[in-house]
Amino acid sequence: MVAAALDHPGLRLTAAELIALRPAFRPARHRPAGARPGAIPARVAGQGMDLREIRAFAEGDDQRRIDPGATARTGQLHVRSFHEDRDDTRLLIVDFRHQMLWGTGSALRSVRAARWLARIGWQAVAQGASVALMAVKEGALALLSAGTGTPQMLALSQTMAQAHDAALALGSGQSSLATALVQARRMVPPGGQVHLATGPDGLAGADAALSQLARGRVIRVHVILDPAETTPPRTALSVRHGHAARHGRLSPLDCGALLAHLHSLGAEARAVSPDDTG
């Protein structure tokens, strides 16, 4: 009976459903440099090591970038401009710990998290980015090194589905995401992106690790919500504790304070409703 229940759509995650989230359009060969018609791909100015140009000093330029040689030759201040250092690696971290393995709607919260990140992964490979995976289970990590293109997303979908099966087979625990976030620093170099899908209580005890990971990287936390948290039942519910019993109504979860706290740690954060994840 248990095995049959886990085969129900929304309870057991399958690689096929993640692969089916692949966009219908073909990936572009090059990413546009801007939104203007006729824009061509180009490396942008930034703080990297590759010289872009030497030009006359303009108001607002960083005086630390004044080029002594060009200034001496011309008698006018000149500055060096460099190409921006970018590492287009995107790490997807999906939380499959026990607090994600429940749901009151059509899918477990863990399944909603996997579907949401799979969409992000497909969009990333369509843009030519490298994608890696970290699936967090109680006391264990399932890792997939960064790669590009459709073959990488096929492998990622399979790895994610297998990790979810393993998580369902494990007992409950109290592990923190802190260890996973420390490992993430080794997988994503500065300049890369991290997409973390977890629940409203998923980052308890991991503030320091999240703040360190955010240094030099773009961190996006996707807070996956269940229908009971966004549209709780209107009827009163009975709550019992020992001989005591009460009735009460659930209120919609307000994530405002949590999102503000994550922003203060250097992460971008958003609440993801059940309508977004299917």
Side-chain angles (χ1 to χ4, degrees):
M1 294 294 292
V2 174
L6 291 181
D7 283 335
H8 190 279
L11 298 181
R12 182 170 181 263
L13 181 67
T14 67
E17 68 176 293
L18 301 180
I19 295 169
L21 296 173
R22 179 184 183 182
F25 60 86
R26 281 189 171 186
R29 188 176 295 269
H30 296 289
R31 283 174 292 170
R36 302 186 310 276
I40 60 173
R43 299 180 68 192
V44 299
Q47 303 298 321
M49 298 297 293
D50 296 331
L51 181 64
R52 180 171 181 257
E53 63 178 349
I54 298 176
R55 57 173 176 77
F57 181 86
E59 184 177 355
D61 283 337
D62 188 346
Q63 296 184 6
R64 293 172 297 180
R65 297 202 174 276
I66 291 176
D67 185 275
T71 299
R73 287 193 303 272
T74 63
Q76 296 181 341
L77 289 176
H78 278 67
V79 294
R80 291 189 173 204
S81 174
F82 294 86
H83 289 293
E84 182 179 13
D85 272 342
R86 284 186 175 181
D87 190 302
D88 206 355
T89 299
R90 307 185 195 182
L91 173 62
L92 310 181
I93 304 178
V94 60
D95 187 358
F96 287 160
R97 294 174 301 153
H98 75 281
Q99 59 262 54
M100 294 292 287
L101 302 177
W102 68 277
T104 63
S106 61
L108 300 182
R109 200 155 67 175
S110 55
V111 172
R112 296 182 188 278
R115 291 171 179 170
W116 182 254
L117 288 185
R119 292 187 180 96
I120 293 174
W122 281 115
Q123 293 170 1
V125 297
Q127 296 168 356
S130 243
V131 179
L133 172 70
M134 175 185 292
V136 185
K137 302 169 290 181
E138 291 295 346
L141 302 175
L143 305 176
L144 180 67
S145 299
T148 58
T150 297
Q152 177 69 1
M153 282 304 300
L154 298 180
L156 186 146
S157 299
Q158 188 66 42
T159 301
M160 199 181 287
Q162 292 173 348
H164 191 262
D165 282 348
L168 290 173
L170 292 172
S172 62
Q174 298 294 329
S175 62
S176 168
L177 278 179
T179 301
L181 298 181
V182 171
Q183 175 70 20
R185 293 175 60 191
R186 306 186 187 103
M187 296 181 68
V188 182
Q193 295 184 25
V194 177
H195 292 267
L196 167 62
T198 186
D201 54 348
L203 283 162
D207 283 5
L210 181 65
S211 180
Q212 291 176 358
L213 182 61
R215 294 175 184 171
R217 302 171 185 84
V218 176
I219 310 299
R220 294 189 170 96
V221 179
H222 309 271
V223 181
I224 309 298
L225 301 179
D226 183 81
E229 296 165 323
T230 58
T231 54
R234 297 180 179 179
T235 56
L237 303 176
S238 176
V239 180
R240 292 182 178 274
H241 181 71
H243 297 292
R246 290 190 177 184
H247 287 79
R249 288 184 174 86
L250 297 177
S251 299
L253 181 65
D254 183 2
C255 288
L258 172 61
L259 300 183
H261 176 65
L262 294 175
H263 283 301
S264 73
L265 298 176
E268 301 176 16
R270 62 164 293 179
V272 182
S273 72
D275 291 338
D276 295 326
T277 53

